[in-house]
Structure formats: structure tokens, C-alpha cells
Amino acid sequence: MVEPGRIILKQRGTEWHEGPGVGRAKDHTLYALQKGRVVFRYDVASQRRYVTVSDCSGVEAPLVGTGSRTETKQRVADAVDAQKYLSLNHLERRDYVLGLAKKLDRESEQEKKEQLAARLMQPKRATFSLVDLTML
């Protein structure tokens, strides 16, 4: 968990780019803009690495590819139909791979939502009650 203003990453140049909830200083230092969990991601479409701060609501920032660069590339490579890929020209190949990456990302987001819903419905989950403090 990071607090707003906390330095997440010091770097020379922009090896990592700022995503939602992250700011960049003049010297390319990345710092948190909101309280939350730091998430490192690789975006297949832009071929960039991003740092985001998730507010722990279970809804992640909309970037393609939620794992590391290696994991994302492996997932896309496993989903590619080799015969179809080889029959396309270079521009069609790019569009085909980006389409697969976005499809995998949508499936991953759906899976995350299902996992979050299952976690919220666990019987041993701690419960709390809201108290109206206006009358105190």
C-alpha cells in the first residue's frame, strides 16, 4: 500500500510510464497520486511498461495485458492460430495479435470480476455495520 506523494520508482529516462493513479516528476520519478496498491503492467498495444496505483476496489485500470511482459507475450503466443497467422501480411498480423490481446484482456477482466464476487460472498468474510454519526 502506498500513500499519495510516496515515491514508487526512481529512473533515468522513461523505462516505466505512469498509468492511472501515478504521476511523473521532471526527473522521471514516478510517485503515487492516490492511496492504493502498486501494479506493474505491460501493454501489448503500445509496447510499454506501466506503473499504476489500484484503489483496491477490484476494478483495475483499463490496460491491455495484466501480467508481466513475459506472461502477456506467452498468453498471446498460446492463443495464436499458427496457420492463420502465417497466411496474413505484416499489417494483418499486427491487427490479429492486438485483437487477440484485447480479447484475452476482456476474458481476464471477466475472470477477475467473478473472483471478486466469489470472494465477497464467502461466509467467513468480516462484516461491518454502518453507524449514523450525525446524531452524536
Side-chain angles (χ1 to χ4, degrees):
M1 295 295 286
V2 293
E3 298 292 326
R6 173 85 48 156
I7 293 175
I8 299 171
L9 180 69
K10 280 193 144 317
Q11 61 184 348
R12 297 183 103 181
T14 53
E15 291 182 30
W16 291 90
H17 296 270
E18 68 276 9
V22 177
R24 182 173 59 184
K26 288 182 182 179
D27 65 349
H28 303 289
T29 298
L30 300 181
Y31 59 92
L33 294 174
Q34 65 186 25
K35 182 178 180 180
R37 181 175 54 98
V38 178
V39 180
F40 294 91
R41 294 182 160 184
Y42 178 69
D43 183 19
V44 176
S46 65
Q47 299 282 311
R48 289 183 171 184
R49 296 184 290 182
Y50 287 93
V51 178
T52 63
V53 175
S54 169
D55 62 357
C56 301
S57 66
V59 179
E60 296 294 331
L63 288 176
V64 176
T66 56
S68 69
R69 182 187 309 204
T70 306
E71 291 168 352
T72 302
K73 285 184 176 181
Q74 186 62 47
R75 284 178 47 218
V76 172
D78 290 342
V80 168
D81 179 13
Q83 288 182 341
K84 181 176 180 179
Y85 181 81
L86 292 174
S87 69
L88 303 172
N89 67 30
H90 70 283
L91 293 174
E92 292 170 337
R93 286 180 181 178
R94 179 183 175 275
D95 293 339
Y96 175 65
V97 170
L98 288 177
L100 277 176
K102 290 178 182 178
K103 177 184 170 195
L104 290 172
D105 187 52
R106 283 192 302 271
E107 291 172 359
S108 161
E109 289 298 320
Q110 182 64 30
E111 187 177 308
K112 279 184 189 178
K113 288 178 184 178
E114 291 171 2
Q115 288 175 353
L116 178 64
R119 203 173 20 174
L120 292 174
M121 297 304 292
Q122 289 178 349
K124 294 182 182 179
R125 182 172 165 78
T127 59
F128 63 94
S129 59
L130 296 175
V131 177
D132 186 7
L133 300 176
T134 58
M135 301 301 289
L136 298 177

